[in-house]
Amino acid sequence: MATLSDLVILLLGALLALGFYNKDRLLGSSSSSASTTTSSYSAATANGSKPTDSNGNGNAFKGDPRDFVARMKDQKKRLAVFYGSQTGTAEEYATRIAKEAKSRFGVSSLVCDIEEYDFEKLDQVPEDCAIVFCMATYGEGEPTDNAVQFIEMISQDDPEFSEGSTLDGLKYVVFGLGNKTYEQYNVVGRQLDARLTALGATRVGERGEGDDDKSMEEDYLAWKDDMFAALATTLSFEEGASGETPDFVVTEVPNHPIEKVFQGELSSRALLGSKGVHDAKNPYASPVLACRELFTGGDRNCIHLEFDITGSGITYQTGDHVAVWPSNPDVEVERLLAVLGLTSSEKRRMIIQVVSLDPTLAKVPFPTPTTYDAVFRHYLDISAVASRQTLAVLAKYAPSEQAAEFLTRLGTDKQAYHTEVVGGHLRLAEVLQLAAGNDITVMPTAENTTVWNIPFDHVVSDVSRLQPRFYSISSSPKLHPNSIHVTAVILKYESQATDRHPARWVFGLGTNYLLNVKQAANNETTPMISDGQDDVPEHVSAPKYTLEGPRGSYKHDDQLFKVPIHVRRSTFRLPTSPKIPVIMIGPGTGVAPFRGFIQERIALARRSIAKNGPDALADWAPIYLFYGSRDEQDFLYAEEWPAYEAELQGKFKIHVAFSRSGPRKPDGSKIYVQDLLWDQKEVIKSAIVEKRASVYICGDGRNMSKDVEQKLAAMLAESKNGSAAVEGAAEVKSLKERSRLLMDVWS
């Protein structure tokens, strides 16, 4: 609980900020504050909202907390923006829609997690209001976890609303988020749109669809203007009814008790050290039991890690995913601190309190009070590619006309943005450095980086929250009840060169964080800065992370490290009976869940043999694994598979293709897993058609999974004496509908 002195400091900060804002208005100034420490807007805005607690979770509504219609009426909200989000992206776009509605029309919105509200009163939404749905499609056409209950309710033949089973008069907007590498692209948004229309509701504008495989950002930008125009026409919104207003008040509170300051902790329970359930809102700092390199040569890395969950209360099932919460690399933390003029020891450790001016519109995306350093290291995704919309907004704070022109061009010229920013994988701080003429290839410091006077509330508003990275669990709790295994190939690729910067290595955030953990735990060293020659400055190479965590809580002794994790449930499950054949296709790290599957069968086999004797597996069905990699150096867990084959008494068979070093087809082309599958088509076809086998595909969703499905369609078409495009495709679809073909793929 905040002390009296804390409250006095916060009140004083808010009053000073309010006075500063009103001073600008009285003087007729059109420019915003250039302060990087405090930015504000009058809490007594037209929407009637007031700052509440420091985490932006409070509200003044006294009615039923699950009745969003009553809340809209009470707080005079014209829009309610609901999000169905698995990783935070849909939530981000929901907030963007609400913010733009406010800046364009002065319209206030509720931004709502869809599982936190009831929808029986959806038919009572006032006629001068609208509902916006930002709905992600997860997995193979499934709603996100938080949207399951709503989708089930709205999909009923006769859903029960407060006044019947229709939604006549309801106005709605849909923006769907998906990935075109998945067959069921954006199916949740599409089906919701069709269902609402069938119930009598009226869609405003066209349905928006964002493709995460290409550019979700560009899809959104191409859709939003026409949508807002249609919204203005339908609801009589007035363009330009509101000027630019910040979402947060940021106040420096240097005398705040340090023990109450979040320094990277991801939840209040973590800060207080109290017990509680470990989930997405309270990750568990898991000790790393073991970590090792899996590739035996070459210039790539793939690592195996084992997370200790003893005593944590965390459980998992074979096929689940583990979420790893990384931090940002040191060089990017230093870069953004330098760009904002916060590199000094005093500034980076300055305690700040962030308060939302309207928590129903924009919640503070991280726990406060905290520090500038913690915000950039643990809470905001400063390693992501800079948003085109953000660059356009920040141009007004440029330190020179040339920098402003550069940022404006990137923000308005789609092709220039894609060439410079997307192709170069430029992060926000790197773009700001380039605009100011700084060298982004050297270690950023206060001396070589131009300062941009950007109000810190803009940074909080415009940079997304750092989200966890998900990995298929590669172990079974039947063999490893107290540990979770992860198999991760380290993402590293070369960017495109442009006129302003050369090609350079781009390092994936999550996997390189885990690589740093592995190197530190094994006392390996990889320098962040390459040795420069006499006339060449030192250059940034592989990223280095500060692994000790908040208050050193992620490190014990010299080489024991902890990583924040939680488990996400999956539907990727083995059939319960070992008498059903299993066909698994997983090249590369797609083999991860199948290692868990085999371990699951090993545990069952041991129990069966102990109970029924050595012939207990005689009537078990076979398990086939089709695995592929580049060459023998990349053969993951090569030493384990023979032991598994022996223990399962020949019921497990692995087929391996090495695309670069293995045999070739007669025409000289490479052999992949889909070719191995075709070579065994009579066996596979019999297992699927006659013995009701379950089929699993894991790995690359852009090419491999589609090629495998085509082979399955072709062989199943033969059993129907039909074509792959018609009968074969219908059989594959039927397998999916009956959950006999399950996929865990990514692009």
Side-chain angles (χ1 to χ4, degrees):
M1 180 177 294
T3 64
L4 179 60
S5 61
D6 295 335
L7 295 175
V8 170
I9 291 171
L10 286 176
L11 180 59
L12 180 60
L15 289 174
L16 288 173
L18 176 59
F20 185 80
Y21 171 76
N22 286 329
K23 171 183 71 68
D24 283 348
R25 293 186 63 185
L26 292 171
L27 292 175
S29 171
S30 60
S31 62
S32 299
S33 166
S35 169
T36 60
T37 59
T38 304
S39 53
S40 63
Y41 176 65
S42 170
T45 53
N47 60 36
S49 298
K50 295 181 180 181
T52 53
D53 65 68
S54 60
N55 291 311
N57 295 322
N59 59 76
F61 180 61
K62 302 302 182 183
D64 181 355
R66 296 188 64 84
D67 186 347
F68 74 90
V69 175
R71 184 185 292 270
M72 290 180 73
K73 293 177 179 178
D74 179 77
Q75 298 180 347
K76 298 179 174 58
K77 306 293 186 181
R78 300 287 301 278
L79 298 175
V81 189
F82 292 96
Y83 57 86
S85 187
Q86 197 74 24
T87 62
T89 306
E91 179 181 1
E92 174 190 342
Y93 280 94
T95 302
R96 289 176 66 172
I97 290 172
K99 288 180 179 179
E100 188 152 355
K102 182 179 178 182
S103 65
R104 281 180 180 242
F105 313 118
V107 169
S108 184
S109 308
L110 290 174
V111 179
C112 311
D113 184 331
I114 202 165
E115 73 176 344
E116 294 181 358
Y117 293 87
D118 296 325
F119 287 86
E120 286 77 9
K121 294 185 180 179
L122 192 57
D123 57 347
Q124 291 188 20
V125 174
E127 63 180 11
D128 63 343
C129 299
I131 306 300
V132 181
F133 294 98
C134 288
M135 306 298 290
T137 297
Y138 166 61
E140 290 300 308
E142 303 158 21
T144 57
D145 292 344
N146 71 324
V148 170
Q149 186 175 358
F150 167 71
I151 294 297
E152 289 177 349
M153 177 265 189
I154 204 75
S155 300
Q156 295 173 5
D157 291 339
D158 294 301
E160 295 184 6
F161 301 112
S162 61
E163 299 177 357
S165 59
T166 64
L167 295 174
D168 297 338
L170 175 69
K171 304 172 185 67
Y172 72 92
V173 174
V174 173
F175 182 70
L177 299 86
N179 189 307
K180 282 188 176 177
T181 62
Y182 292 76
E183 180 180 349
Q184 302 296 330
Y185 172 64
N186 252 315
V187 68
V188 172
R190 293 176 181 181
Q191 290 180 350
L192 175 59
D193 183 19
R195 184 59 182 149
L196 291 172
T197 298
L199 291 170
T202 301
R203 188 184 66 231
V204 178
E206 296 298 319
R207 181 183 65 246
E209 292 189 347
D211 178 16
D212 191 45
D213 184 50
K214 296 297 182 182
S215 176
M216 184 79 70
E217 171 82 1
E218 292 302 330
D219 292 336
Y220 170 75
L221 294 178
W223 166 77
K224 71 180 182 69
D225 287 337
D226 288 342
M227 182 276 292
F228 278 120
L231 202 60
T233 300
T234 303
L235 298 181
S236 300
F237 289 164
E238 182 181 349
E239 189 86 33
S242 176
E244 179 182 340
T245 58
D247 300 309
F248 307 102
V249 171
V250 182
T251 309
E252 294 183 349
V253 285
N255 296 321
H256 198 85
I258 194 65
E259 68 274 8
K260 298 180 181 179
V261 176
F262 289 87
Q263 297 186 14
E265 293 87 358
L266 296 170
S267 69
S268 296
R269 289 198 293 265
L271 178 65
L272 298 173
S274 59
K275 300 289 185 181
V277 175
H278 292 291
D279 53 19
K281 296 180 180 179
N282 182 38
Y284 173 62
S286 170
V288 178
L289 289 173
C291 44
R292 68 180 190 274
E293 176 66 49
L294 293 176
F295 288 167
T296 59
D299 59 355
R300 299 193 307 146
N301 298 95
C302 183
I303 56 176
H304 170 91
L305 294 99
E306 299 178 13
F307 296 118
D308 186 0
I309 56 174
T310 303
S312 66
I314 292 177
T315 61
Y316 72 101
Q317 296 183 57
T318 308
D320 283 345
H321 303 107
V322 63
V324 172
W325 293 76
S327 60
N328 286 301
D330 294 346
V331 64
E332 298 310 324
V333 175
E334 295 301 322
R335 192 186 308 279
L336 197 47
L337 287 171
V339 165
L340 296 177
L342 302 171
T343 56
S344 70
S345 176
E346 179 183 2
K347 267 297 184 183
R348 70 171 62 223
R349 293 185 176 88
M350 176 61 68
I351 300 167
I352 58 173
Q353 187 82 52
V354 184
V355 178
S356 174
L357 290 167
D358 184 356
T360 63
L361 170 65
K363 294 181 180 179
V364 179
F366 45 78
T368 69
T370 183
T371 67
Y372 291 119
D373 187 281
V375 168
F376 294 148
R377 192 172 302 281
H378 297 287
Y379 298 137
L380 294 184
D381 193 0
I382 64 173
S383 299
V385 172
S387 158
R388 182 157 69 91
Q389 192 170 20
T390 297
L391 297 179
V393 169
L394 297 183
K396 69 181 73 173
Y397 302 108
S400 67
E401 289 186 9
Q402 293 82 359
E405 290 173 0
F406 179 63
L407 237 60
T408 300
R409 182 171 67 90
L410 294 181
T412 56
D413 186 332
K414 180 178 177 180
Q415 187 56 51
Y417 170 79
H418 273 269
T419 300
E420 288 281 351
V421 181
V422 178
H425 194 94
L426 293 178
R427 305 160 184 89
L428 175 61
E430 290 175 322
V431 176
L432 299 181
Q433 281 190 304
L434 283 176
N438 304 146
D439 185 354
I440 67 170
T441 66
V442 300
M443 186 66 182
T445 65
E447 290 70 34
N448 62 25
T449 303
T450 302
V451 173
W452 290 61
N453 292 317
I454 301 171
F456 199 73
D457 69 270
H458 270 299
V459 178
V460 178
S461 294
D462 296 334
V463 181
S464 300
R465 171 74 188 260
L466 185 58
Q467 299 291 343
R469 272 52 177 173
F470 292 91
Y471 302 92
S472 296
I473 295 176
S474 57
S475 57
S476 165
K478 298 293 193 301
L479 286 189
H480 302 281
N482 294 317
S483 65
I484 289 175
H485 297 188
V486 167
T487 308
V489 67
I490 309 307
L491 179 60
K492 171 185 171 184
Y493 64 92
E494 199 167 15
S495 71
Q496 299 174 13
T498 73
D499 292 339
R500 286 181 175 260
H501 60 85
R504 65 216 175 97
W505 287 109
V506 177
F507 300 89
L509 178 66
T511 55
N512 282 277
Y513 169 75
L514 292 177
L515 179 61
N516 263 235
V517 171
K518 177 251 182 186
Q519 291 167 340
N522 295 336
N523 201 26
E524 303 165 355
T525 57
T526 299
M528 178 178 66
I529 312 283
S530 61
D531 294 330
Q533 300 174 4
D534 292 341
D535 58 344
V536 178
E538 293 183 324
H539 285 60
V540 176
S541 59
K544 183 176 177 60
Y545 297 73
T546 298
L547 302 176
E548 289 78 5
R551 296 177 169 85
S553 60
Y554 293 171
K555 182 180 180 181
H556 290 267
D557 301 324
D558 288 336
Q559 292 170 271
L560 177 62
F561 291 89
K562 295 181 179 181
V563 172
I565 66 169
H566 77 269
V567 169
R568 183 176 72 185
R569 301 303 176 193
S570 168
T571 58
F572 208 63
R573 299 281 187 256
L574 273 173
T576 55
S577 172
K579 297 180 182 180
I580 298 175
V582 174
I583 301 161
M584 307 177 295
I585 304 102
T589 54
V591 80
F594 302 140
R595 179 176 181 263
F597 280 10
I598 297 302
Q599 290 184 0
E600 189 98 346
R601 283 290 192 255
I602 291 288
L604 181 59
R606 290 175 182 175
R607 290 199 302 269
S608 297
I609 292 172
K611 181 178 179 180
N612 301 314
D615 297 328
L617 311 187
D619 61 346
W620 279 27
I623 306 175
Y624 304 98
L625 172 60
F626 294 88
Y627 172 76
S629 63
R630 296 182 179 183
D631 49 45
E632 290 85 350
Q633 294 179 338
D634 298 352
F635 189 1
L636 299 181
Y637 303 109
E639 74 286 355
E640 294 185 12
W641 307 117
Y644 292 154
E645 287 182 315
E647 190 160 3
L648 288 174
Q649 300 178 6
K651 298 298 181 180
F652 166 54
K653 299 289 185 183
I654 183 170
H655 302 270
V656 182
F658 298 121
S659 61
R660 294 189 178 181
S661 62
R664 299 292 181 107
K665 298 177 186 177
D667 63 0
S669 59
K670 298 175 181 179
I671 295 177
Y672 297 103
V673 286
Q674 58 266 29
D675 302 308
L676 297 179
L677 195 68
W678 187 255
D679 289 343
Q680 300 293 320
K681 69 175 181 176
E682 296 303 323
V683 173
I684 299 304
K685 185 165 54 175
S686 173
I688 295 174
V689 175
E690 300 172 14
K691 301 173 184 176
R692 302 186 58 77
S694 291
V695 184
Y696 302 85
I697 304 173
C698 184
D700 168 38
R702 183 176 288 110
N703 299 305
M704 180 276 298
S705 66
K706 291 182 172 61
D707 293 340
V708 168
E709 284 193 62
Q710 290 175 359
K711 293 296 185 183
L712 288 172
M715 65 177 68
L716 293 174
E718 291 183 357
S719 68
K720 295 289 185 179
N721 296 317
S723 70
V726 180
E727 287 80 7
E731 288 298 304
V732 169
K733 181 180 179 181
S734 177
L735 288 175
K736 290 182 178 180
E737 291 173 345
R738 288 176 286 166
S739 297
R740 287 180 52 205
L741 172 55
L742 296 174
M743 306 177 71
D744 184 2
V745 298
W746 55 84
S747 59

